[in-house]
Amino acid sequence: MNTLLQFSVEVKNAMQNNLPVVALESTIISHGMPYPLNLEVATAVENTVRQNGAVPATIAIINGQFHVGLSEAELDFFAQAKDVMKCSRRDLPYVVAQKINGATTVAATMIIAEMAGIPLFATGGIGGVHRMAQNTFDISADLIEFSQTRVAVVSAGAKAILDLPKTMEYLETFGVPVIGYGTDFFPAFYSTCSNIKVPMRLDQATELAQFIHANQQLNQKGILIANPIPQEFAIDNSEIEHHIEQALQEADKQGVTGKEITPFLLKKLNELTAGKSQIANKALVLNNAELAAKIAVELKR
Ligand code: PSU
Ligand code: MN
């Protein structure tokens, strides 16, 4: 057993008894949503996973140890702490060596989930190729992670703060399967679909489990399962686009770069939509947790 890993009692029991487990990330808690909504969502996501027959394993780094499954007090800590480092792949050796706390992005959560033996992970949206990437070279390390680490990630596509066509091209270049769950078009986080076709579509959790199994047989790596936001919570693209442009201009004016960009844009968008985007955000994360739990259950059959 890797000595960096610390399992909660609930997750340890599940792993020992071969029960379905779903990994969850912590950057969405520490850097993706304001307190107390973040805590409310983190708790609701865990409960949704349980209600659908699987065990939630929220992943975060405490004193340089990789925690797989957090207590209520630990969830509360990551929801309120102001100085938690946002950790992607390259940050992991630093937080381990310095024995400090870290919130894990999609990339870092995939790495730790794979180390822990958890093949499924639910989140809101993944990082992607940023708009103007042809000038800034800003491409999230999340995308490359899918070509290195074997975890299937359920997300509502990627946020429209990104360049979605370039994001899809990048995933194709790196050989990452992108599966539309019940859709022919890539979901755009707040809206159910973009105008970009997904390369493949599956309509049943059983089929997704079979896909994951085939992927393992072929010794291939990450899979992106794109699950559209439920229609009743969706926000029209035209309604949110001008807020996105304003947030991007603000980031440019303030010279925000690197890993600060995504949290900055998420915060600005939440402000500009006066809470509307948050309701959508919560709904889509819960929806992803439900699907991931159902696939995890099917995988154990
Ligand atoms: N997109 C969201 N909400 C989030 C994130 C992305 O809609 O909270 C977080 C995820 O943790 C993702 C990270 O892995 O931002 C990507 O950051 P970057 O673009 O710096 O790689
Ligand atoms: Mn970036």
Side-chain angles (χ1 to χ4, degrees):
M1 182 55 70
N2 192 309
T3 55
L4 287 173
L5 292 172
Q6 289 277 342
F7 289 88
S8 69
V9 174
E10 186 187 18
V11 175
K12 189 191 272 173
N13 282 340
M15 304 289 285
Q16 280 169 352
N17 293 301
N18 199 27
L19 299 175
V21 177
V22 173
L24 302 164
E25 63 152 307
S26 44
T27 291
I28 189 173
I29 304 172
S30 292
H31 304 271
M33 286 181 193
Y35 180 82
L37 177 78
N38 55 358
L39 182 60
E40 192 189 309
V41 172
T43 307
V45 167
E46 289 204 345
N47 288 333
T48 301
V49 171
R50 290 188 189 101
Q51 281 154 16
N52 287 280
V55 170
T58 303
I59 290 177
I61 305 162
I62 304 173
N63 300 327
Q65 293 273 310
F66 296 166
H67 283 246
V68 182
L70 299 186
S71 67
E72 273 178 48
E74 287 162 346
L75 274 184
D76 188 72
F77 169 78
F78 280 97
Q80 298 209 50
K82 294 275 174 272
D83 55 352
V84 169
M85 186 168 168
K86 175 184 163 189
C87 297
S88 191
R89 170 179 275 275
R90 70 173 181 180
D91 307 298
L92 294 178
Y94 181 80
V95 286
V96 168
Q98 294 285 310
K99 299 185 170 52
I100 59 173
N101 301 324
T104 52
T105 62
V106 167
T109 306
M110 287 174 78
I111 293 168
I112 298 172
E114 187 182 55
M115 281 171 70
I118 303 172
L120 259 176
F121 160 24
T123 186
I126 61 161
V129 180
H130 283 254
R131 297 188 189 188
M132 303 305 288
Q134 64 272 35
N135 297 334
T136 63
F137 275 47
D138 189 352
I139 299 168
S140 174
D142 286 354
L143 294 183
I144 296 185
E145 202 56 50
F146 281 87
S147 65
Q148 306 195 61
T149 302
R150 189 187 299 142
V151 172
V153 181
V154 180
S155 97
K159 266 214 178 84
I161 55 173
L162 302 167
D163 186 320
L164 298 185
K166 287 196 184 75
T167 298
M168 285 296 265
E169 290 296 344
Y170 210 78
L171 289 165
E172 182 178 358
T173 300
F174 281 91
V176 181
V178 179
I179 307 168
Y181 174 66
T183 181
D184 292 318
F185 293 91
F186 193 59
F189 201 82
Y190 296 123
S191 34
T192 54
C193 65
S194 61
N195 53 10
I196 308 156
K197 277 216 153 192
V198 282
M200 45 204 123
R201 166 184 176 152
L202 294 172
D203 290 350
Q204 306 290 337
T206 333
E207 293 175 295
L208 289 164
Q210 285 161 352
F211 188 103
I212 292 169
H213 184 68
N215 189 68
Q216 280 165 0
Q217 284 181 307
L218 289 163
N219 200 24
Q220 293 195 10
K221 300 296 181 176
I223 299 167
L224 180 57
I225 299 169
N227 185 28
I229 184 173
Q231 184 70 58
E232 62 270 33
F233 295 101
I235 307 175
D236 208 62
N237 237 344
S238 57
E239 194 182 327
I240 204 150
E241 180 59 29
H242 68 282
H243 293 310
I244 292 171
E245 268 158 29
Q246 197 180 329
L248 287 167
Q249 274 171 22
E250 195 67 33
D252 192 43
K253 214 167 72 188
Q254 294 187 29
V256 185
T257 56
K259 68 200 263 187
E260 313 301 334
I261 274 266
T262 299
F264 179 92
L265 293 175
L266 297 181
K267 187 158 173 276
K268 263 276 157 301
L269 257 193
N270 285 342
E271 288 168 18
L272 291 170
T273 61
K276 187 166 178 185
S277 70
Q278 295 179 356
I279 297 168
N281 208 336
K282 180 177 176 183
L284 67 86
V285 181
L286 294 181
N287 190 46
N288 294 340
E290 181 180 336
L291 177 60
K294 286 178 177 162
I295 302 167
V297 168
E298 289 298 328
L299 266 182
K300 291 293 181 190
R301 274 191 218 279

